[in-house]
Structures are given as structure tokens and as C-alpha cells.
Amino acid sequence: MSDLAEKIEVIELMAKHEEAIAGLYAVFSVKFPECKIWSYLYGEELKHSEWLKSILNNVYEGSVKFTDYHLTLKGLKVAIRNLESNAQKAEEDKYDLEESLNIAYTLENSLIEDHYLDYFSSDLEGITKVLNDLKTDTESHREHC
């Protein structure tokens, strides 16, 4: 990936993806208040979005390195639309609790959640910490679902 604008858009879309997951979890939280995991996951996904946004300046400076990856801008946009569609279906009571938990588990195991941190790296300690924390949190979410 060579175009700076595309690199910026990838991270922005990754942040939006995290926000879309948070939106879905927010709906599940309302639909299934007896299941306390939703509010926790909601907050975590919003935190991840903020973390991703926090490294944008480092992309401009060139201190975030991008590797070859298989996620495309189109793929990220489709994933976000799918999340928004799932949130709409959840609002319409089309999922029971078991289905909602399965959706969350699938999301936390998805290629985007599981491997997107492999697409960039940095020699800066602060950026490395953010990337490692994102990976640790995602693994923890998997265990909760």
C-alpha cells in the first residue's frame, strides 16, 4: 500500500468498524439487559475506535508501517454495512440472546478483528503499545463471548 490517503482511509474505516460493532452491542444491551457483557463490550469497542484514531498523526509522519494485507477499502465498507444491518435487525427483535452471543463471538473471531493488527506496525513504543493492547483486548473479548 503506497498511497498515504488510502492508508489514512484504512485506519479511519477500521475505527468506524469498531464503532459499528459498538453500535450493535449497544442494541444488544438494550434488548438483553440481563446479559451484562454487552455494556462492557460496547465500551471496549469505542475505546478501540479511539485508539485507532489516535495513531492517525503517526501515519502522516510515516512512523506507522503498513504491510501487504488482504483487507480492502471495499471489504471494510461492506463489513460496516453488514454490522449496521445486524443492528437494525436486532432493533427489530430478529435475534434471540443465543443468536446475539453467536454474532458477537463470530465478530470477535472475524478476520478483521483477528488479523487487522497484522497490517501495520511501528517502532514507536506508544504505537506498539496501542496495537498490542488492541490485540490483547480482542483476545479477551473472544473469551467473554
Side-chain angles (χ1 to χ4, degrees):
M1 178 184 294
S2 59
D3 180 58
L4 179 62
E6 186 178 352
K7 291 175 183 178
I8 297 296
E9 189 172 3
V10 164
I11 292 181
E12 288 173 341
L13 285 172
M14 288 176 158
K16 286 181 182 178
H17 185 264
E18 296 291 328
E19 291 167 6
I21 294 172
L24 177 60
Y25 291 165
V27 174
F28 288 161
S29 179
V30 170
K31 295 295 179 180
F32 309 107
E34 71 280 7
C35 188
K36 303 300 180 198
I37 191 70
W38 302 122
S39 58
Y40 166 75
L41 290 174
Y42 168 79
E44 289 288 294
E45 299 302 332
L46 288 181
K47 176 177 71 174
H48 295 170
S49 175
E50 291 305 313
W51 284 353
L52 285 163
K53 291 175 187 175
S54 76
I55 66 173
L56 283 173
N57 283 339
N58 299 97
V59 175
Y60 285 112
E61 297 166 1
S63 56
V64 173
K65 298 175 193 96
F66 284 74
T67 60
D68 291 333
Y69 64 100
H70 58 275
L71 281 180
T72 63
L73 295 174
K74 181 180 177 183
L76 283 165
K77 290 174 184 176
V78 167
I80 291 166
R81 281 195 304 272
N82 287 339
L83 286 164
E84 291 167 346
S85 174
N86 280 337
Q88 180 64 38
K89 289 176 185 176
E91 287 177 356
E92 296 167 357
D93 295 321
K94 294 192 177 176
Y95 301 125
D96 62 21
L97 179 58
E98 184 177 345
E99 290 169 315
S100 300
L101 289 167
N102 284 333
I103 289 168
Y105 184 78
T106 300
L107 281 172
E108 298 300 332
N109 275 309
S110 74
L111 286 176
I112 294 172
E113 284 289 288
D114 196 32
H115 296 289
Y116 74 86
L117 299 173
D118 297 337
Y119 305 135
F120 42 88
S121 65
S122 178
D123 294 330
L124 295 176
E125 185 177 328
I127 300 301
T128 302
K129 180 177 177 3
V130 166
L131 297 175
N132 288 336
D133 287 350
L134 281 165
K135 190 164 193 100
T136 299
D137 279 4
T138 299
E139 290 166 359
S140 172
H141 297 173
R142 223 176 270 136
E143 293 171 12
H144 283 93
C145 292

